[in-house]
Structure formats: structure tokens, C-alpha cells
Amino acid sequence: MKKQSNRLEKVNEELKRELSNIINYEVKNSNVTGMVSVTEVKVSPDLRYAKVSVSILNSKNIKQTLAGLKAASGYMRSRLAEKVNLRVTPELVFELDESLKYGEKIDKILEDIMKDLKED
């Protein structure tokens, strides 16, 4: 059982690396703006689907960028098939990774608390 999950981890890392390159250097969709980073890839155990978490910074419109990624997913999938040797190339499902935004919010709250403590 452990071997299988280890294999999935390797597939996840490989897909993450390749998708990052494809998104940043090959996708020519005008809706994809800003800096897009692939933060995590989770492949289903049957390798049919891959949930791709992305963080998007400095984008004109985050929803539009996400839609652009979804529109380009067929192209990305075909490029993955060429680069990664898998029997089945997973269908890509994109979702926004909110963890950076959440981290910024926490930092701001902590900063405010520190200011209040210094004033007292």
C-alpha cells in the first residue's frame, strides 16, 4: 500500500513541475494574466483526474485567469502526455489556492495586535 502512495506522490510532483513550465512558458491565452504558480497537484488513485491548485498574483481578473486556465487545459493535457510517461494523462481540474491570501490576512491581524500592544 505504501508503494502506491509513494508512486502517486512522485506523479504529483512531476505533474506539478511540468504544469508550472507549461503555464508560465507555453500557454498563450490572453485571459491568463499575472503570476500563476502551481502550488499543489493531487492525482486521483486511478490517474484519471488531477486537481491542480494554483495561486494567482497581480492578475487583472482572477476569475478570468482561472477560466483561461480551464480553457487551455486541453492543450496542457496534450503537452503533459508528450512530457510525462503515463498510460493515462489525467484530466486537469483547476482550483484557486487561497492559502497565500489567508496567510497575508493572518500576518495583518498579527501586525495590528503588535501595534496595539506597543501603544499600551
Side-chain angles (χ1 to χ4, degrees), residues 37-92:
S37 330
V38 178
T39 55
E40 185 179 38
V41 175
K42 281 188 181 170
V43 179
S44 63
D46 63 0
L47 300 180
R48 298 246 179 245
Y49 297 93
K51 191 189 300 183
V52 183
S53 299
V54 292
S55 70
I56 302 169
L57 300 172
N58 304 330
S59 175
K60 294 176 194 159
N61 183 335
I62 289 178
K63 281 185 180 164
Q64 203 173 22
T65 297
L66 215 48
L69 288 172
K70 286 177 184 169
S73 68
Y75 168 77
M76 288 187 249
R77 191 175 177 196
S78 65
R79 291 294 291 138
L80 277 177
E82 294 169 15
K83 294 176 175 221
V84 182
N85 187 16
L86 291 173
R87 208 173 314 126
V88 178
T89 303
E91 193 174 311
L92 305 174

Side-chain angles (χ1 to χ4, degrees), residues 1 6 34 39-40 58 78 95 108-109 116:
M1 187 66 191
N6 198 11
T39 55
E40 185 179 38
N58 304 330
S78 65
E95 65 177 22
K108 175 89 174 89
I109 291 169
D116 289 348

